[in-house]
């Protein structure tokens, strides 16, 4: 897990499902950067993305069970 991936996992664990835009602001990442990080995490099965019910142009990002479990293990190892 890279530092940027850890930051995304940590914010999702803290905030719950959020828009990709808000996630970028919460992690101090630009739109293109957070999109790439989320895409890599999604391919690994650690996060999911679904269109926002109110604005289908916006994606909501959430941890999967595997993502939450990985974050817990990595966080524990970091402490």
């Amino acid at each position: 897990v890279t530092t940027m991936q850890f930051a995304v996992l940590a914010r999702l664990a803290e905030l719950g499902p959020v828009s990709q835009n808000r996630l970028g602001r919460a992690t101090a990442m630009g739109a293109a950067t957070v999109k790439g990080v989320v895409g890599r995490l999604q391919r690994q099965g650690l996060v999911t993305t679904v269109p926002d019910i109110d604005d289908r142009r916006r994606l909501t990002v959430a941890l999967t069970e595997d993502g939450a479990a990985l974050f817990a293990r990595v966080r524990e190892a970091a402490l």
Side-chain angles (χ1 to χ4, degrees):
V1 174
T2 68
T3 303
M4 293 179 130
Q5 290 172 340
F6 181 81
V8 166
L9 294 173
R11 288 298 163 252
L12 288 173
E14 176 187 344
L15 302 171
V18 295
S19 72
Q20 192 166 288
N21 188 307
R22 181 170 178 213
L23 182 59
R25 289 191 310 271
T27 56
M29 292 181 202
T33 302
V34 78
K35 181 178 180 176
V37 173
V38 167
R40 286 185 288 282
L41 291 171
Q42 187 175 25
R43 285 190 294 279
Q44 295 174 47
L46 302 174
V47 301
T48 60
T49 59
V50 294
D52 185 280
I53 56 173
D54 295 323
D55 184 348
R56 307 232 2 116
R57 298 169 296 174
R58 185 181 347 192
L59 289 177
T60 298
V61 183
L63 282 176
T64 62
E65 287 183 27
D66 288 345
L70 175 67
F71 173 69
R73 286 193 310 272
V74 171
R75 182 185 64 189
E76 198 58 37
L79 299 176

